[in-house]
Amino acid sequence: MSATIESVLQESRVFPPPADIVQNANVSGMAAYRALCDEAERDFEGFWGRMAREHLAWKKPFTKVLDESNAPFFKWFHDGELNASYNCLDRHLASQPDKLAIIFEADDGKVTRITYKQLYHQVCRFANALKSHGIQKGDRVLIYMPMSIEVVVAMQACARIGATHSVVFGGFSAKSLQERIIDAGATEVITADGQFRGGREIPLKPVVDEAFAMGGCEKVKNVIVYRRSGSPIPMQTPRDKWWHDVIEGQPDTCEPTWVNAEHPLFILYTSGSTGKPKGVQHSTGGYLLGCVLTVKWVFDNKPTDIFWCTADVGWVTGHSYIVYGPLAAGTTVVVFEGVPTYPDAGRFWKMIQDHKVNVFYTAPTAIRSLIKAGGDLPKKYDLSSVRILGTVGEPINPEAWMWYHTTVGREKCPIVDTWWQTETGAIMITPLPGATPTKPGSATLPLPGIIADIVDETGQSVGRGKGGILVIKRPWPSMIRTIWGDPERYKKSYYPEDFKGKYYLAGDGASMDADGYFRIVGRIDDVLNVSGHRLGTMEIESALVANPLVAEAAVVGRPDDLTGEAVCAFVVLKQPRPSGAEAQKIANDLRNWVAKEIGAIAKPKDIRFGENLPKTRSGKIMRRLLRSIAKGEQITQDVSTLENPAILEQLKQAQ
């Protein structure tokens, strides 16, 4: 059996970067990209030291760049001091106080704008309010809020006084909230009465109360509640306080608390893991450097840019590309409360038109749902302001990439297909818009200073043309520092003994083509072994989605007596869900299609049709659930967060 994952999708289309983008790019042409890579190769520490000096404002300059003495607990710029909020706000006040920092569009379409100076004063007032509650450097503050200007204020205020924030996505349950409050040892909770999504009001403060009722949250002294929905909610005195009350009378300046570069800026719990929550802890200096550098390099940030990342701040993408990266680069960011399909499927395109968005960054899940909801809709809007498109969250199917390129980008905008993780803090492998020729579905090349490779199970490089396990061979500034309160788990999860503890294990399978381009083929867990062939589920999904009948597909494996593992495909069509003879015919046609696109080995044994796929509230496909259905097991996991539970019955019917 081969130890490498076979890459079976052959992608021959190459798109050079547009000449006008190359001309003005922050990294212009492949020669400039290679020069940065060579500098990092020649003098790794010198390169990162130069980046940190040029792109961040330091209170106390660092003298040592990287300390590897206690690997894999790496330290970057350790003897330097700075403040993340100072870097995002104060340093822009002299040069551009009246520049827009945030354009906020609420679910109902109401728009609020705030300048850097106004944002600075709001952050200072709220920071002083937290101080008046006794919050000090190193204390943990948990944030459970809707998308709003206020959530940015809350995060920046924590950073300003050296408190470590932990944001929990507003769609998580009371149980998830309680586990995170306990694990982080939070002493303050910031929340809102409710939030709006797709025209519906969703309560938040009642969920906090439910979490407290479960016990174990006794360390929390204060709960600050922002009034967003105006619905009546129970307030428990003296613990619960209104946001507007706590900021009243607070001074609108607040001296930043200078912290060591390694000081924990935030803890973010990754979803999807079983058992105990996994708190990914990030530093201040290294993390901030990763964010600001990638905004300048990957999104080619210009002083006049309107930058819109559609993620929620509850995920790392929202941390890095709404709250910290763009503000540290001094750009204007769009913050959006709602969903892409409310009041209709043109919402994203209308917002791009209204706010004249130049850089648009979203997830393949959103792209695929927008294709399904109205593939020609973008053409009805003026999207001429868009200069760069980006995707994040999972690998993008080549066909979705092509739609994004032609329909949204009008064949003029480079697409940056970015690979990174909660743990990496910032983008790691990506095209640069003014340098890298792109290929649909490929994340292309690592950024300068990021030493990525693809290895087999023993840690040996597999070379070009083959696939295997993605690793990062050298530390990088924005990397995870530890799992909060569990250093052993950190070592075991990310620096396993299989690779002698030397390489960071990303947990993703990838392949490399003849040009050295990386193609991410999905989580290592999502690799099927069919008759001794190892196939990435992502590639089979891409082949299915390329069929004109298919809107979305998810592929999992199930045990098979004959082939070891069988391919099981869950398919959503662009037409009503078929049944009987029609379903059988379409299933056979799709099997033959996959055989033609990839080869007979990848033919799905089972095809199951549903009106949609089971997704979490953040839009991730619940693959574990699909694996259980494929195996015919009783479903024991929590399905309360499913958008449409009725589909479970549909998906049990195999063709």
Side-chain angles (χ1 to χ4, degrees):
M1 181 205 136
S2 121
T4 62
I5 301 166
E6 296 174 32
S7 181
V8 279
L9 275 185
Q10 296 304 317
E11 182 56 70
S12 54
R13 295 170 289 194
V14 179
F15 296 86
D20 58 328
I21 301 263
V22 176
Q23 205 176 348
N24 301 305
N26 296 335
V27 179
S28 173
M30 282 307 275
Y33 161 76
R34 287 204 183 95
L36 286 165
C37 292
D38 292 348
E39 180 190 346
E41 218 163 293
R42 270 193 329 273
D43 178 7
F44 188 72
E45 290 194 26
F47 168 81
W48 282 117
R50 177 169 85 84
M51 293 300 142
R53 285 186 197 96
E54 284 178 12
H55 295 277
L56 293 179
W58 295 85
K59 178 71 173 170
K60 178 183 168 210
F62 55 88
T63 59
K64 188 168 175 56
V65 174
L66 172 60
D67 178 354
E68 300 182 74
S69 59
N70 184 24
F73 299 94
F74 302 103
K75 290 179 178 171
W76 286 89
F77 324 118
H78 184 243
D79 57 351
E81 287 181 4
L82 74 170
N83 180 280
S85 172
Y86 178 90
N87 270 274
C88 292
L89 301 170
D90 308 45
R91 68 169 170 165
H92 305 307
L93 293 180
S95 55
Q96 47 175 47
D98 299 325
K99 181 177 176 175
L100 281 183
I102 298 171
I103 301 170
F104 170 65
E105 182 162 322
D107 187 63
D108 63 4
K110 185 170 176 277
V111 176
T112 313
R113 294 176 173 85
I114 184 169
T115 65
Y116 270 92
K117 191 176 178 182
Q118 289 165 327
L119 183 61
Y120 160 80
H121 288 309
Q122 283 207 24
V123 167
C124 287
R125 271 196 287 275
F126 196 71
N128 287 322
L130 290 175
K131 276 183 151 167
S132 73
H133 288 173
I135 300 291
Q136 293 172 336
K137 181 169 124 184
D139 288 347
R140 272 84 59 206
V141 175
L142 188 123
I143 299 174
Y144 183 66
M145 287 184 78
M147 290 293 284
S148 52
I149 290 170
E150 284 70 21
V151 74
V152 178
V153 168
M155 291 164 78
Q156 288 279 352
C158 290
R160 194 162 193 87
I161 61 174
T164 302
H165 61 68
S166 183
V167 182
V168 177
F169 171 59
F172 275 148
S173 65
K175 181 79 186 126
S176 308
L177 197 56
Q178 178 235 19
E179 287 171 351
R180 286 156 174 73
I181 291 172
I182 294 171
D183 193 78
T187 53
E188 188 106 359
V189 171
I190 305 169
T191 186
D193 47 6
Q195 59 181 348
F196 291 93
R197 282 178 75 82
R200 293 198 346 266
E201 185 185 324
I202 301 162
L204 287 173
K205 170 69 166 46
V207 182
V208 173
D209 291 338
E210 199 182 325
F212 275 89
M214 292 173 181
C217 305
E218 290 74 25
K219 274 190 172 169
V220 177
K221 301 286 186 288
N222 297 290
V223 175
I224 299 177
V225 186
Y226 167 62
R227 186 172 276 149
R228 167 70 187 99
S229 67
S231 292
I233 51 162
M235 296 284 280
Q236 188 181 312
T237 48
R239 186 194 71 190
D240 300 348
K241 298 171 176 69
W242 288 107
W243 176 293
H244 55 264
D245 288 337
V246 299
I247 59 169
E248 197 170 328
Q250 293 293 352
D252 64 1
T253 58
C254 170
E255 190 58 26
T257 301
W258 304 105
V259 297
N260 179 286
E262 280 298 312
H263 178 74
L265 178 63
F266 65 88
I267 306 160
L268 189 56
Y269 289 88
T270 58
S271 58
S273 61
T274 49
K276 190 170 176 285
K278 191 161 72 175
V280 171
Q281 189 230 296
H282 276 289
S283 72
T284 302
Y287 168 77
L288 204 58
L289 177 63
C291 293
V292 73
L293 253 190
T294 46
V295 167
K296 291 176 181 178
W297 283 352
V298 180
F299 299 113
D300 194 39
N301 184 250
K302 300 286 183 271
T304 54
D305 274 353
I306 308 288
F307 180 93
W308 183 20
C309 161
T310 67
D312 189 286
V313 289
W315 312 114
V316 74
T317 308
H319 281 54
S320 302
Y321 298 107
I322 297 176
V323 180
Y324 288 111
L327 295 177
T331 201
T332 302
V333 278
V334 175
V335 175
F336 174 48
E337 182 182 37
V339 294
T341 50
Y342 175 82
D344 55 60
R347 180 71 181 267
F348 271 13
W349 318 128
K350 184 176 179 316
M351 282 180 65
I352 291 175
Q353 172 182 281
D354 291 355
H355 303 304
K356 299 196 171 29
V357 170
N358 308 110
V359 180
F360 179 64
Y361 192 36
T362 195
T365 307
I367 293 167
R368 289 195 298 267
S369 69
L370 290 164
I371 296 173
K372 192 184 174 196
D376 286 332
L377 266 175
K379 292 174 182 164
K380 294 181 181 164
Y381 295 86
D382 177 7
L383 307 183
S384 59
S385 59
V386 178
R387 192 166 59 87
I388 292 165
L389 295 169
T391 84
V392 59
E394 61 193 307
I396 183 167
N397 323 79
E399 289 312 306
W401 192 102
M402 284 304 303
W403 177 86
Y404 201 33
H405 170 70
T406 50
T407 311
V408 183
R410 311 167 314 286
E411 299 186 28
K412 291 179 183 166
C413 303
I415 295 178
V416 290
D417 173 359
T418 63
W419 175 85
W420 61 296
Q421 301 173 309
T422 305
E423 293 87 347
T424 68
I427 296 164
M428 303 285 278
I429 304 174
T430 177
L432 294 178
T436 322
T438 52
K439 296 180 186 179
S442 168
T444 71
L445 297 164
L447 285 173
I450 303 299
I451 318 301
D453 197 7
I454 299 172
V455 300
D456 62 17
E457 276 91 343
T458 63
Q460 296 303 306
S461 287
V462 297
R464 296 189 175 187
K466 298 200 178 73
I469 299 162
L470 178 62
V471 294
I472 312 290
K473 288 185 158 177
R474 293 285 284 126
W476 64 100
S478 64
M479 67 186 294
I480 175 175
R481 294 306 196 257
T482 186
I483 288 172
W484 182 256
D486 202 342
E488 275 313 301
R489 188 175 178 190
Y490 163 73
K491 271 178 38 186
K492 227 180 340 230
S493 303
Y494 302 109
Y495 284 88
E497 274 309 307
D498 303 1
F499 305 144
K500 304 185 180 56
K502 287 209 178 328
Y503 297 163
Y504 168 86
L505 174 71
D508 280 331
S511 65
M512 191 186 286
D513 68 11
D515 298 322
Y517 276 30
F518 286 74
R519 181 183 293 279
I520 312 297
V521 297
R523 303 293 296 163
I524 296 170
D525 309 345
D526 294 334
V527 172
L528 310 183
N529 186 351
V530 181
S531 305
H533 297 263
R534 296 182 66 193
L535 301 168
T537 55
M538 175 67 204
E539 304 210 81
I540 309 171
E541 289 169 12
S542 287
L544 283 163
V545 173
N547 184 293
L549 294 176
V550 176
E552 201 166 19
V555 169
V556 299
R558 64 161 177 79
D560 184 86
D561 293 342
L562 185 64
T563 54
E565 226 174 348
V567 175
C568 178
F570 295 86
V571 174
V572 180
L573 297 176
K574 289 175 182 168
Q575 61 184 66
R577 180 173 171 263
S579 57
E582 184 195 15
Q584 276 175 341
K585 181 184 176 311
I586 295 175
N588 283 331
D589 291 349
L590 289 177
R591 284 190 185 96
N592 297 334
W593 171 274
V594 171
K596 181 170 91 22
E597 289 276 303
I598 295 180
I601 191 72
K603 258 187 171 179
K605 199 152 195 180
D606 304 346
I607 292 186
R608 300 159 182 259
F609 295 108
E611 285 165 19
N612 44 37
L613 294 175
K615 291 178 184 170
T616 63
R617 291 190 184 172
S618 64
K620 281 216 171 117
I621 297 169
M622 295 170 82
R623 291 177 192 273
R624 281 204 307 270
L625 184 63
L626 293 179
R627 285 191 200 101
S628 297
I629 296 173
K631 290 175 189 163
E633 298 170 348
Q634 280 299 111
I635 293 165
T636 53
Q637 67 189 88
D638 179 26
V639 290
S640 60
T641 59
L642 269 183
E643 288 170 55
N644 177 5
I647 57 174
L648 296 181
E649 285 311 311
Q650 296 176 4
L651 297 174
K652 286 177 185 172
Q653 298 162 30
Q655 301 299 325

